[in-house]
Amino acid sequence: MQRPKNRGADREMEKIVRPMLSALVRCLGIAAGLPRRAKQLCVVAIDVAMLFASAWFAYSLRTDQFAPINYPILAFCLGAIIVMLPTFYATKVYSVIFRYSGVGTLRTVLNAFVLYGILIAAIFTIYSFARIPRTMGLLQPILFFIMVAGSRMVIRALLVDVLERRRFDGERRRVLIYGSGRSGQQLARSMRNDPQFHLIGYLDDDGRLYGQQLDGLPVFNPQDTGDVVEQRRVTDILFAIPSASRSRRRKILQSLERFNVVVQTLPSLSDMVEGNVSFNDIRPLEIHDLLGREPIQPNELLLGRNTVGKTVLVTGAGGSIGSELCRQIVAIGARKLILFEVSEYALYSIHQELSKVVETSERAKTQLVPVLDCVTSRERLDRIFASEQVDTIYHAAAYKHVPLVEANPIAAMRNNIVGTKVLVETAMRGRVSNFILISTDKAVRPTNIMGASKRAAEQIIQAHANGEGKDSQSVTKFSMVRFGNVLGSSGSVVPLFREQIERGGPITLTHRDITRYFMTIPEAANLVIQAGGMAQGGEVFVLDMGKPVKIYELARMMVQLSGLTLRAADKPDGDIAIEEVGLRPGEKLYEELLIGENPEKTSHPRIMKAHEGHIEWQRLSGLVEQLAACKDPAGVAPILKQIVPEFEHKRDEQAA
């Protein structure tokens, strides 16, 4: 019989409290809408009232009884007001915005009261007046400081925690912060002003902190995450350990997969500039947070060998790899960088970006030369090499999207193969020192037109590296670098999957068992430059891509780390479905990086070297000429088959 009584009492109390809270919110809303000057006058009036209250209380403490308002109190207040107003205005007490009150506000108030207290003590304690107790000059400033500082915190809490949160009608996110270090605490402070978020506490691996409180927020054991998420109805976990190694970051994030929460993260320390951490620094979880490897310190000698103080030309300068090569070449210190690009918009974008870097950086003083043209433009290339005295070429221009190349084989042959041949020949005439071709794992035992075209381009490089097709005066060293998929490049599955998740699904997957190698664009570009630095001529450099990744697992992780659930036969109420749509023409389940076996190690742990055969140049040159003259799309694959004997066109098999 007792419980119903208590519930009835609670309901009665709620009937009393709710109208009072609503009235308070309305009053706060009216006050918040006043002009700035009116707000300041209100604050001055409140401070004057607290000055009277603190003076009365100080007098009462001195006389050991609650005295009525009398002459000593009024005389003291008059003198205190004369001191307070100019002191508070001089120390900017009334310039503080209450909504953002914090430690800085307390510091401002404390500075004001140090000056105020000295003056009041000098007037009423040292000098003294009749009938006014000397101790009031010491007691009143202390009591007044407590009241003023407390009022600032209370008003801030009312404005932020009551008014703004009552006004907010969106979805409130209940947040745990993984990491209770400085970054996590700064992040928590920046989120306290946002009514969208309700901070639950911290997760931390440090066992000494379990059960402790940090600024009023509890610290939980990560092993209890499931219980905390369920009991506290957590919707988001923010990973705030920017100093964590990639392996530790990957391990922690994978441990959070099974919880139905959104996981976001702060950038790594290598991506962050120094300064305070705020919620603006939080970004959606990137897959390289899970797949990325520990970075290896680059070899500065290899980085600078073909770039520092030299004239460098990058074809495909506006593409995913080409643009990153350009960024790093400028940062390393090339004398001149020629941005060669066929897309006007891509060239404009990278030129504008690098121009700002050169203008604002004290170190990067590279001269930029934008060139809008195609790599098949023999005359334009001859003029560039004759006038610019190019030292190094990074040839990244290629059509790379498998379905588009399958649909447009003639254009792809003209760009990927004929363009490479033209660039090689003009580079030799221009006495370019180093030529590095950017290749792909799809060139290994290709099953599509794109991969076969890149293998043909590789053979052009190999033939000239072996002296075939070279004139006796040529000084150019030819090499190539082969690697797999890069995260975030145009057409990459990662941005595609994210877009499909944001639309509510389904995620379209060509095959459940498809696997790919992945590497970040900056790491790939950095290794390409270092590989070029160790080239002697004729090498096939192969980048260590780590372990291949199953694309289905990648899609599943992206769904779960977005706080959503997979829809399947046993879970029909899941949020996002993964649908298999079948392999695209020419697509392989597994990619390879080597044609032969036993790659040779180099001085760099992430760069291997292979020696692979090619058809002799006289025959290769004739076949390339046939491709250049081919007008029938159906005639491309048979010619490619002669150049690349291991080419097995999957489209042919599917058609059969």
Side-chain angles (χ1 to χ4, degrees), residues 1-19:
M1 297 299 292
Q2 187 66 27
R3 285 185 182 175
K5 247 186 182 179
N6 289 340
R7 288 176 183 172
D10 290 342
R11 283 195 293 270
E12 290 299 322
M13 181 63 70
E14 186 177 352
K15 288 180 181 179
I16 298 171
V17 171
R18 187 177 292 275

Side-chain angles (χ1 to χ4, degrees), residues 518-588:
F518 283 99
M519 179 181 285
T520 65
I521 294 176
E523 183 183 13
N526 193 267
L527 290 175
V528 164
I529 296 173
Q530 292 181 75
M534 65 175 70
Q536 298 299 314
E539 296 93 346
V540 180
F541 292 109
V542 181
L543 303 187
D544 175 11
M545 302 291 295
K547 295 180 180 179
V549 177
K550 207 167 186 178
I551 304 300
Y552 177 85
E553 290 301 312
L554 187 148
R556 182 185 61 79
M557 285 190 292
M558 289 187 69
V559 170
Q560 293 181 337
L561 291 171
S562 297
L564 303 172
T565 56
L566 278 177
R567 188 185 310 150
D570 58 336
K571 294 182 180 178
D573 297 328
D575 301 305
I576 304 289
I578 297 179
E579 295 182 359
E580 292 184 65
V581 297
L583 291 174
R584 299 174 297 184
E587 188 174 26
K588 291 196 288 187

Side-chain angles (χ1 to χ4, degrees), residues 36 39-40 43 91-102 104-109 152-153:
R36 177 71 178 156
K39 291 178 184 177
Q40 288 179 329
V43 175
T91 53
K92 309 290 186 185
V93 169
Y94 296 122
S95 298
V96 172
I97 300 174
F98 279 26
R99 190 184 306 272
Y100 303 107
S101 294
T105 300
L106 290 177
R107 190 181 299 117
T108 300
V109 172
R152 269 47 175 182
M153 297 300 104

Side-chain angles (χ1 to χ4, degrees), residues 189-382:
R189 284 194 291 270
S190 74
M191 293 176 64
R192 287 185 187 276
N193 294 330
D194 196 328
Q196 180 182 354
F197 301 103
H198 176 60
L199 289 175
I200 303 300
Y202 299 95
L203 296 168
D204 202 288
D205 296 326
D206 189 346
R208 296 170 300 177
L209 298 176
Y210 301 158
Q212 303 299 312
Q213 297 270 329
L214 287 178
D215 198 18
L217 295 174
V219 180
F220 300 105
N221 187 336
Q223 295 182 359
D224 300 330
T225 302
D227 294 335
V228 176
V229 167
E230 182 179 354
Q231 295 170 9
R232 305 294 184 102
R233 306 189 309 281
V234 174
T235 60
D236 296 73
I237 296 178
L238 307 182
F239 186 80
I241 314 178
S243 61
S245 65
R246 288 185 180 176
S247 59
R248 185 187 175 203
R249 179 184 293 249
R250 182 168 61 250
K251 183 178 179 181
I252 292 173
L253 293 176
Q254 286 177 332
S255 72
L256 301 177
E257 269 186 71
R258 63 184 184 275
F259 306 116
N260 187 25
V261 295
V262 176
V263 180
Q264 292 180 289
T265 181
L266 280 174
S268 64
L269 280 182
S270 60
D271 297 327
M272 292 176 65
V273 295
E274 292 184 1
N276 289 333
V277 176
S278 72
F279 188 70
N280 293 331
D281 296 310
I282 285 287
R283 57 171 170 78
L285 190 70
E286 300 288 351
I287 292 302
H288 68 250
D289 290 318
L290 292 167
L291 306 182
R293 298 172 295 172
E294 296 298 329
I296 288 182
Q297 191 70 21
N299 185 318
E300 298 296 334
L301 179 63
L302 294 178
L303 279 177
R305 184 170 289 165
N306 293 337
T307 53
V308 173
K310 297 182 183 293
T311 297
V312 182
L313 183 145
V314 177
T315 67
S320 303
I321 294 295
S323 61
E324 182 60 29
L325 281 170
C326 291
R327 293 183 192 100
Q328 296 195 23
I329 289 167
V330 167
I332 292 168
R335 182 178 65 84
K336 184 183 291 186
L337 174 60
I338 302 171
L339 309 162
F340 199 97
E341 175 60 58
V342 72
S343 165
E344 180 188 26
Y345 176 74
L347 180 61
Y348 170 80
S349 298
I350 188 62
H351 184 246
Q352 289 293 107
E353 177 188 335
L354 295 180
S355 295
K356 292 178 182 177
V357 172
V358 172
E359 288 173 6
T360 57
S361 173
E362 294 182 1
R363 295 182 57 191
K365 297 302 178 186
T366 304
Q367 180 184 347
L368 303 175
V369 181
V371 177
L372 183 64
D373 215 325
C374 178
V375 287
T376 57
S377 181
R378 192 182 300 270
E379 293 182 0
R380 184 71 183 280
L381 288 168
D382 274 330

Side-chain angles (χ1 to χ4, degrees), residues 476-494:
T476 308
K477 289 188 296 187
F478 292 96
S479 61
M480 58 191 189
V481 183
R482 185 189 292 159
F483 54 89
N485 298 276
V486 288
L487 290 165
S489 66
S490 60
S492 170
V493 296
V494 174

